[in-house]
Amino acid sequence: MTPEQFIAKWQISTLKERSGSQEHFIDLCRLLNEPTPAEIDPVGACYCFERGAKKTTGSDGWADVWKRNCFGWEYKGKRKNLNEAFVQLHRYAPALENPPLLIVSDMEQIIIHTAFNGTVSKEYVLQLDDLRNPDNLRLLKWAFSEPERLRPTLTTAALTETAARQFGELAHTLCERGHDTQQVAHFCQQILFCFFADDIGLLTNHLFSQLLDAGQKRPDNLPQTFTSLFNTMATGGLFGTEEIDWFNGGLFDAAAPLPLTGTDVQTLRKLAQLNWSDIEPSIFGTLFERGLDPNQREQLGAHYTDAASIMRLVNPVVLDPLREEWRVQQLAIAKLVDKIAALKSKVNKAIAVASTTTLTTESAEGIRIVREKARNAETAAKRKSKNTVVIFSFGCKSFECLILPVVQGTFYYWHCAV
């Protein structure tokens, strides 16, 4: 298949994910002169469609395509949200033996996310028209047969060291201007948190980066802008047109941003361009602490708390109670499942008896009533079971822990599902 043939076919296609994804992948194999899953692995041991995978959340799922030591691949229908597809695929990764590439596609574009251990992830976005370029075809072919060629050169350790050094220099500068050290510490915590929230999507549309870009022209306006943002984060609500979640834990209860110079804003903009989702908090805390001179370290309260120590608090206070609550809910759901099975058994017995006897109008009506009651009870039990899961999941949405070891010890952010 030529690039022109592939592009022409899939530009006009209106097939949905279920009906089009496997043919799209097979056409891609033909385009790249690569064998299809069944051609190279008839039993599906290392290369197949619909690879069963348990999600990190505990539920079962299926990766649309999997090739050992190369990639996991997830499809969505045209113009669907590929970020959701990536999140879903990321949850499959451990069950897929942690492939070095996580690839998502809506049959109009292909997005390759690198996932090599110890490296900063890189993203390649290919639209249909991009496949006319031989360099892009070669990149795709590497994904199929030589994924090592896509390994990023920047390591997470190097990225973290850069971020810690630059952030420490900014804190040092603010202290030298005579600002109260506790205020500097708190402001640095808020900024650092916003960098992480911006990169992992808790602040939508890279809102914090946008504010820094706008603030480069008018640095004097930034403290007021930050105050408004932090106040909204403390309660939840609208910031301009953006819906902001409630960030509890007290970090944003006191909003007193420090004045920044144009140089400060430029530093923050450079920091914002780093991939904070790849920065290792366990390394960052240590490096940041080392980067401060002993006097400032003591004044700022910059004492690193490692993740293991943090989890000694988080497990008994948050996770263990949630696990116990879920165990209780599972038992309740199991009882409902048993109730449904008993009702079905009762109906089947009534039908079996009816099939061996001549039914009177009265007995036929009795069977109809039994069946109707069983159907209604089954529907109610299923609804109750579903509601049990939904209510528990909704309760968990207050408890995802993003733990960042930073100045003034460690702060916690509880937001989404555990």
Side-chain angles (χ1 to χ4, degrees):
M1 177 173 273
T2 67
E4 292 299 333
Q5 290 172 330
F6 184 90
I7 293 168
K9 175 176 179 177
W10 292 102
Q11 275 181 337
I12 63 172
S13 171
T14 58
L15 293 173
K16 298 187 181 299
E17 174 194 347
R18 185 179 295 275
S19 54
S21 59
Q22 292 192 8
E23 183 164 356
H24 181 274
F25 188 83
I26 290 171
D27 281 354
L28 201 56
C29 292
R30 303 289 183 241
L31 172 64
L32 300 172
N33 196 27
E34 287 283 333
T36 66
E39 288 171 344
I40 196 174
D41 183 10
V43 298
C46 61
Y47 187 21
C48 62
F49 292 112
E50 297 298 326
R51 174 72 175 186
K54 184 173 288 292
K55 300 179 184 178
T56 53
T57 55
S59 58
D60 295 324
W62 303 87
D64 290 329
V65 198
W66 170 70
K67 187 174 186 182
R68 177 175 287 150
N69 298 327
C70 288
F71 56 73
W73 194 302
E74 190 69 22
Y75 274 100
K76 289 292 181 186
K78 281 195 172 184
R79 301 175 189 86
K80 296 295 184 181
N81 190 332
L82 289 181
N83 287 332
E84 292 179 0
F86 175 65
V87 170
Q88 181 176 334
L89 187 57
H90 197 272
R91 289 173 179 160
Y92 293 150
L96 300 177
E97 302 174 20
N98 292 308
L101 304 175
L102 300 176
I103 305 176
V104 294
S105 175
D106 65 354
M107 297 177 282
E108 284 190 331
Q109 64 177 332
I110 299 169
I111 304 178
I112 303 172
H113 299 266
T114 65
F116 293 89
N117 288 335
T119 66
V120 176
S121 60
K122 192 170 182 179
E123 181 181 289
Y124 300 91
V125 181
L126 302 176
Q127 307 291 342
L128 276 175
D129 288 338
D130 294 333
L131 300 182
R132 292 188 174 93
N133 186 328
D135 290 340
N136 292 329
L137 290 177
R138 183 169 63 250
L139 186 149
L140 264 178
K141 191 166 180 64
W142 286 344
F144 277 72
S145 54
E146 299 179 81
E148 269 303 312
R149 287 179 174 269
L150 298 178
R151 179 186 286 272
T153 56
L154 181 61
T155 65
T156 52
L159 174 67
T160 303
E161 184 175 356
T162 297
R165 184 183 67 254
Q166 293 179 1
F167 208 82
E169 289 172 353
L170 177 62
H172 176 75
T173 298
L174 293 173
C175 286
E176 283 191 328
R177 290 183 191 148
H179 295 298
D180 178 75
T181 54
Q182 293 302 316
Q183 191 176 1
V184 171
H186 193 68
F187 182 51
C188 285
Q189 287 183 6
Q190 292 171 325
I191 294 292
L192 178 60
F193 184 88
C194 286
F195 283 145
F196 276 94
D198 217 39
D199 255 9
I200 65 176
L202 296 176
L203 290 176
T204 57
N205 299 319
H206 294 286
L207 174 62
F208 193 66
S209 297
Q210 291 186 48
L211 296 181
L212 290 174
D213 290 343
Q216 183 68 74
K217 299 176 183 177
R218 301 281 303 271
D220 293 344
N221 291 344
L222 264 183
Q224 182 179 351
T225 302
F226 284 164
T227 298
S228 179
L229 174 64
F230 295 166
N231 285 337
T232 307
M233 293 172 75
T235 60
L238 281 176
F239 178 82
T241 60
E242 299 292 339
E243 182 71 30
I244 304 294
D245 286 328
W246 170 41
F247 295 79
N248 62 345
L251 178 62
F252 295 100
D253 287 351
L258 299 175
L260 299 169
T261 66
T263 302
D264 297 336
V265 178
Q266 190 173 2
T267 299
L268 289 174
R269 289 180 68 202
K270 287 181 180 178
L271 282 166
Q273 290 170 7
L274 301 178
N275 190 343
W276 285 83
S277 61
D278 279 323
I279 286 174
E280 294 284 354
S282 58
I283 302 174
F284 186 94
T286 301
L287 291 175
F288 183 84
E289 184 178 339
R290 285 181 193 163
L292 300 173
D293 67 52
N295 291 332
Q296 284 184 330
R297 191 182 306 165
E298 184 176 353
Q299 290 171 343
L300 287 171
H303 301 292
Y304 170 63
T305 306
D306 63 87
S309 298
I310 294 167
M311 293 311 294
R312 282 199 291 271
L313 171 64
V314 173
N315 270 320
V317 173
V318 178
L319 297 183
D320 289 346
L322 279 175
R323 292 183 182 118
E324 175 59 22
E325 183 181 347
W326 176 235
R327 188 188 68 80
V328 172
Q329 299 299 341
Q330 284 179 307
L331 291 174
I333 292 171
K335 289 181 180 179
L336 290 172
V337 171
D338 291 342
K339 182 178 180 181
I340 292 172
L343 290 168
K344 286 184 175 180
S345 177
K346 185 176 181 180
V347 171
N348 290 336
K349 286 180 180 178
I351 293 174
V353 170
S355 65
T356 61
T357 60
T358 302
L359 290 177
T360 64
T361 301
E362 184 178 350
S363 58
E365 178 64 14
I367 290 175
R368 187 194 68 78
I369 292 173
V370 169
R371 179 180 289 176
E372 185 67 21
K373 285 183 177 180
R375 186 182 298 114
N376 291 340
E378 179 180 356
T379 300
K382 285 182 177 179
R383 186 185 301 115
K384 186 175 181 180
S385 177
K386 181 179 179 180
N387 287 345
T388 298
V389 174
V390 170
I391 291 169
F392 179 79
S393 299
F394 184 79
C396 285
K397 286 185 178 179
S398 302
F399 291 106
E400 183 183 8
C401 181
L402 176 59
I403 303 169
L404 305 179
V406 292
V407 293
Q408 212 173 17
T410 301
F411 65 80
Y412 302 90
Y413 159 59
W414 314 103
H415 172 67
C416 265
V418 171

